[in-house]
Amino acid sequence: MIVSLVTLGTCLTIIDRSEKKVMWAVALAIAAVLSFISTFEIGIGPIAWVYSSEIFPLRLRAQGTSMGTAMNRLMSGVISMTFLSLTKAITIGGAFFLFMGVAIVSWIFFYTLSPETQGRTLEEMQVLFGTFFKWRSTMEKLEKNKVISNGDTNSNYDGHFHLGTTNVPLGT
């Protein structure tokens, strides 16, 4: 997404400042839009629905998913309603460079603060999301305890993961 947005911003700036038609920039801009749509749809696009339905406990799942969807729709509306004013204020290329900056900040946020949810139980997710910045070390402890519980039958492991005062069963 970031590469697509920087390419699109560059191409649109070249097209905007050029005296004549720059066909290669037009073709590259179209390719960048298609590339952005593809990478968005397989990356950050479904987060409002998929990730929010996985990270909330069952008692809050409906409310959390609805809030994620509402924020998704709200931000889409804000971007749509302000795009023309934004392009007049900072040029069309500048608007896509701004979107690229937002994509970079989003990538950093998701990479550093959002743990992988694939193959995790609800109990493990509750432990992971209770640690905010320390989720990577917590995930390593969960993996280590999972290996112990699955592979070592002579251990004193009782089927629970102990983190501070939290005692969470690790599934079956």
Side-chain angles (χ1 to χ4, degrees):
M1 283 176 45
I2 294 167
V3 171
S4 299
L5 288 170
V6 75
T7 303
L8 184 58
T10 303
C11 289
L12 291 174
T13 301
I14 290 170
I15 293 167
D16 192 34
R17 295 186 180 181
S18 178
E19 302 272 331
K20 57 183 179 172
K21 269 193 175 176
V22 187
M23 289 309 294
W24 65 268
V26 172
L28 189 55
I30 292 169
V33 168
L34 295 174
S35 172
F36 174 80
I37 292 169
S38 299
T39 54
F40 177 82
E41 291 300 325
I42 63 170
I44 203 169
I47 282 183
W49 293 274
V50 175
Y51 202 70
S52 64
S53 70
E54 294 175 345
I55 65 173
F56 291 106
L58 286 176
R59 64 185 174 83
L60 298 174
R61 185 163 291 173
Q63 294 91 339
T65 303
S66 66
M67 290 299 293
T69 302
M71 287 305 297
N72 180 291
R73 295 299 180 195
L74 177 69
M75 294 312 296
S76 295
V78 168
I79 290 169
S80 298
M81 289 186 288
T82 60
F83 182 75
L84 291 178
S85 301
L86 184 64
T87 59
K88 288 179 183 176
I90 62 172
T91 74
I92 192 162
F96 286 99
F97 287 127
L98 177 67
F99 296 151
M100 177 201 64
V102 171
I104 290 170
V105 170
S106 299
W107 182 81
I108 291 168
F109 173 81
F110 287 117
Y111 184 77
T112 57
L113 297 176
S114 301
E116 175 62 50
T117 60
Q118 182 178 6
R120 302 270 174 233
T121 64
L122 288 174
E123 292 83 11
E124 290 172 329
M125 295 305 298
Q126 192 169 4
V127 170
L128 286 175
F129 281 94
T131 56
F132 199 59
F133 287 108
K134 298 177 185 178
W135 67 265
R136 291 183 196 275
S137 61
T138 304
M139 189 177 292
E140 289 173 8
K141 290 176 185 176
L142 285 170
E143 290 297 325
K144 186 171 121 182
N145 284 334
K146 210 180 249 191
V147 168
I148 290 171
S149 68
N150 291 336
D152 187 6
T153 56
N154 296 326
S155 71
N156 292 331
Y157 182 67
D158 63 356
H160 291 79
F161 175 65
H162 303 276
L163 178 66
T165 59
T166 306
N167 189 12
V168 179
L170 285 178
T172 56

